[in-house]
Amino acid sequence: MSIKEEIIKIKNSIPSNVKLVAVSKTKPIEDIMEAYKAGQRDFGENKVQELLEKEISLPKDINWHLIGKLQTNKVKYIVGKVCLIHSLSSIKLLDTIEKEYSKKNLTANTLIQINIGREDSKNGIFIEELDELIDAIERSKHCKVKGIMTIIPKGSDEENRYYFKEVKKIYDNLKERKFKNISMEILSMGMSNDYKIAIEEGANLIRIGQGIFGKRVLGGNNNG
Ligand SMILES: *Cc1c(COP(=O)(O)O)cnc(C)c1O
């Protein structure tokens, strides 16, 4: 199937309240344009450099999502260029976002990334680190949190469902408690192989790469 057909198929199979982010990492401009022509406007990249190179040569009405680990020294380059940072995962990063966005008097929209499987290889905070990060976010002036993002460990459907449920519990809990600068609107979970289960468990943003663009040959990693 073509990129266009894959996008149409996925869009027709998901509820209308679920946002599809097409993960275009390692894929060329032509592939992104094909998706764009099929109506796709939200794209995800995991590397700052690659995102910027694509952003500059593609239509300005694309919403860019930064889905990979964000190094503090790269924050300054993305100010005003991305609609959502999915990988807020430390107070140090929050402080840098605060500093760089305040310089341009802009506000960053972010998701807290939770490392639900407690994997060394993955970015994100552990649940017990959440309260401290929330305290810092409440004091922030240029950073808003719009929800939660997670990348679950590789596993069976049952294991996937378990982790998605755990993250949904955290999301619901934060939604009930009211914090300054924090609203729970976006639950970003589910990729090509598990997005259907993620949606069943409450995801309203899914990030799909290979399921749209085909296999990544150039060593794109899934570890965000
Ligand atoms: C690569 C990546 C995806 C997409 O993975 P696929 O298996 O290609 O759908 C989703 N989220 C993050 C954070 C990624 O790095």
Side-chain angles (χ1 to χ4, degrees):
M1 266 201 286
S2 69
I3 291 169
K4 184 180 178 181
E5 287 166 335
E6 296 288 4
I7 285 179
I8 291 169
K9 192 188 76 182
I10 294 168
K11 282 213 168 140
N12 285 338
S13 75
I14 62 178
S16 58
N17 68 311
V18 176
K19 175 164 280 185
L20 170 63
V21 172
V23 176
S24 47
K25 62 188 183 194
T26 80
K27 295 296 176 180
I29 298 287
E30 303 81 72
D31 287 9
I32 300 176
M33 271 317 291
E34 190 178 338
Y36 180 89
K37 285 180 190 144
Q40 183 65 25
R41 290 296 179 272
D42 289 85
F43 291 88
E45 289 284 338
N46 67 339
K47 296 205 171 81
V48 168
Q49 182 66 33
E50 189 176 343
L51 187 154
L52 295 174
E53 283 166 11
K54 289 173 175 174
E55 190 269 345
I56 203 163
S57 46
L58 281 158
K60 292 301 154 206
D61 63 342
I62 286 179
N63 304 314
W64 291 101
H65 295 248
L66 188 75
I67 59 173
K69 185 176 164 75
L70 176 56
Q71 251 107 36
T72 52
N73 63 346
K74 303 262 172 77
V75 173
K76 56 177 174 286
Y77 303 117
I78 63 164
V79 180
K81 303 258 163 86
V82 301
C83 70
L84 190 63
I85 299 167
H86 289 232
S87 47
L88 177 59
S89 53
S90 71
I91 293 176
K92 186 174 160 224
L93 178 57
L94 175 69
D95 288 345
T96 310
I97 289 173
E98 187 66 28
K99 189 177 92 195
E100 297 298 338
Y101 276 75
S102 75
K103 283 183 191 165
K104 296 192 178 160
N105 200 25
L106 291 172
T107 302
N109 289 320
T110 67
L111 305 179
I112 297 173
Q113 183 174 352
I114 295 183
N115 185 352
I116 195 68
R118 309 182 79 87
E119 295 171 284
D120 289 339
S121 62
K122 289 206 171 81
N123 188 37
I125 63 165
F126 297 147
I127 305 173
E128 65 270 21
E129 297 170 314
L130 201 48
D131 284 343
E132 204 189 344
L133 182 60
I134 287 172
D135 280 348
I137 293 162
E138 287 202 286
R139 292 191 298 271
S140 148
K141 294 195 169 59
H142 294 272
C143 184
K144 302 263 187 249
V145 168
K146 300 288 180 187
I148 302 283
M149 183 272 231
T150 197
I151 308 171
I152 62 165
K154 273 202 168 53
S156 66
D157 285 0
E158 293 71 43
E159 287 161 337
N160 296 348
R161 193 180 293 283
Y162 166 80
Y163 284 115
F164 290 142
K165 273 189 202 296
E166 288 298 299
V167 176
K168 177 64 158 53
K169 279 185 211 161
I170 300 168
Y171 178 86
D172 286 341
N173 179 270
L174 293 184
K175 195 171 192 153
E176 254 172 54
R177 299 153 72 193
K178 297 267 183 285
F179 299 106
K180 207 166 165 253
N181 301 322
I182 300 179
S183 57
M184 285 295 124
E185 299 164 42
I186 301 172
L187 182 52
S188 168
M189 59 185 194
M191 317 200 309
S192 295
N193 293 325
D194 56 16
Y195 73 88
K196 292 194 178 96
I197 297 173
I199 292 171
E200 284 167 15
E201 299 305 334
N204 59 16
L205 185 157
I206 54 175
R207 310 175 308 263
I208 301 194
Q210 305 193 73
I212 292 173
F213 296 107
K215 281 233 167 312
R216 282 184 295 276
V217 277
L218 298 166
N221 75 74
N222 288 317
N223 293 336

